[in-house]
Amino acid sequence: MERTSAIPASLALVAIVALSGCTGWGIATPSSTSDSTARATPAASASPTTPADLQAILDHRRETYGAPGAIVAMDVGDERSILVSGDADDAGTPLKPADRFRIASITKPIVAALVLDAVAKEELSLDDVVATHLPGLVRAEPPITIRQVLDHTSGVFDEGNEGDLVADIDRLKDPLKREARDVLKRWTAGERVIAPDRVLVALAETHERYSQPGLEYHYSNPNYQIAAMILEKVTGRSLADLLESRIAKPLGLDRTTVAPPDTSSPEMRGYERNPDGALRDMTDDLVAFGNGGNGGIISTPDELLTVMQAIVSGRFLPKDLVTEMKTPTIGSYGLGLASYDFTCGKFYGHEGLLNGTRSVAVVNDDGSAGVVIALNLHTDNEPGLPMVAERMICPSLKGG
């Protein structure tokens, strides 16, 4: 029987980009998945394992990074703990164990798993060309496959993080140009608006490919909007419906949803800092979400850990498709899963960075152990969340 403990911050002893009006609409690249596998740190093997010491690790990371709040779900064997530190918002509302946050790009392994579920049902193949299912969405030459979309070797440009929004809109043809200008006008006027997927992908397609498909890894958020569009086309069901029926409901989860259609605000707000140091709430800037496939899922740390354990352990997919997810194509990235070499073994997961929230979710090979960490601040500094996850979980797995 699983034991769950909520550990209050009083025990203390001591992780797809915020949306930018000047460079575009984007969900950032998770740092650990851009080039290399996360590496172990010498401090990990000496880290203490008591609840108070785990709390101290979390508090220290939150305070050093400067985030208002931080929250962790950790599972080792039959022991699951939820740790909270600090506040959910700048009004001083204390974080609670069941508070939701925007999981950002940790959405991607979930979308990849849903695509592979469709593969298992023979609704599509990983080697299908995108244009077969979505003619006219991307240029026909060179063709890209669903596999290349999932492993970020498609070469599709990452508009939100690297594009020039105004210039790229001017390159579009009507009616997409008019539609994009209308969205931009409404967004800059302060309206809460979500850009259509075809507009977001079209903006990416105003640029040349990074490389010929399949030759190089380059993280790009539009890949996963394309993946979610293909899912909707072949299944006749939205990402929200698939998430609920194929993952959340079977796992008994009721606080894991996707925007859109869920445009409600999570309890854990996300912040950036103004030049004067004041916090700026970025939580509900949803313009780049599209269908949510690139980073739209909202969840709690506990529920997200349950989802990732189910995916990585093979509870959700046939063994051969789980192996496909875990096997890197280039570098450390497979089909929606990055691999992490910790001192206590290989872990699989993803990092997230979106709307003022940074997070990480990692699970070991059989799903028996894992960690989810979220901080509600995004700065240019790297919070090193995979390192923190390793420091928290490895001593317990190695016997202290």
Side-chain angles (χ1 to χ4, degrees), residues 227-360:
M229 293 173 77
I230 290 173
L231 270 176
E232 183 170 356
K233 180 69 178 293
V234 301
T235 67
R237 302 165 73 181
S238 67
L239 178 59
D241 184 23
L242 291 169
L243 175 65
E244 179 182 12
S245 62
R246 298 295 299 130
I247 294 179
K249 189 174 181 180
L251 293 175
L253 311 179
D254 59 10
R255 291 175 62 76
T256 299
T257 57
V258 64
D262 183 3
T263 56
S264 64
S265 297
E267 294 80 14
M268 188 181 195
R269 311 298 296 174
Y271 297 94
E272 289 190 338
R273 289 196 183 276
N274 291 323
D276 62 2
L279 293 175
R280 181 170 72 257
D281 191 330
M282 305 295 293
T283 314
D284 295 327
D285 195 346
L286 308 181
V287 67
F289 277 51
N291 55 29
N294 56 4
I297 291 179
I298 307 169
S299 189
T300 70
D302 184 44
E303 290 199 358
L304 177 57
L305 182 54
T306 296
V307 172
M308 293 299 290
Q309 287 175 300
I311 291 172
V312 174
S313 68
R315 289 176 57 192
F316 181 64
L317 293 168
K319 183 178 179 179
D320 61 324
L321 293 179
V322 177
T323 300
E324 290 254 28
M325 286 194 77
K326 294 177 178 177
T327 304
T329 304
I330 297 175
S332 65
Y333 204 95
L335 302 182
L337 284 176
S339 58
Y340 300 77
D341 288 323
F342 286 177
T343 57
C344 53
K346 181 82 74 176
F347 280 67
Y348 301 91
H350 214 285
E351 290 179 69
L353 166 55
L354 170 70
N355 288 24
T357 300
R358 303 192 73 145
S359 53
V360 67

Side-chain angles (χ1 to χ4, degrees), residues 165-243:
L165 182 59
V166 174
D168 294 345
I169 287 176
D170 284 342
R171 295 190 186 101
L172 296 177
K173 296 180 180 179
D174 286 329
L176 285 176
K177 180 186 288 189
R178 291 196 304 271
E179 193 170 11
R181 283 176 171 170
D182 177 65
V183 170
L184 179 60
K185 180 179 179 180
R186 292 159 58 197
W187 178 54
T188 54
E191 184 177 340
R192 199 176 184 197
V193 61
I194 299 176
D197 300 298
R198 285 191 173 272
V199 167
L200 294 166
V201 175
L203 287 167
E205 284 289 273
T206 64
H207 295 263
E208 294 300 314
R209 298 276 165 80
Y210 290 117
S211 66
Q212 288 291 312
L215 294 184
E216 296 180 8
Y217 168 92
H218 199 112
Y219 190 93
S220 181
N221 285 292
N223 281 324
Y224 274 76
Q225 287 175 297
I226 294 169
M229 293 173 77
I230 290 173
L231 270 176
E232 183 170 356
K233 180 69 178 293
V234 301
T235 67
R237 302 165 73 181
S238 67
L239 178 59
D241 184 23
L242 291 169
L243 175 65

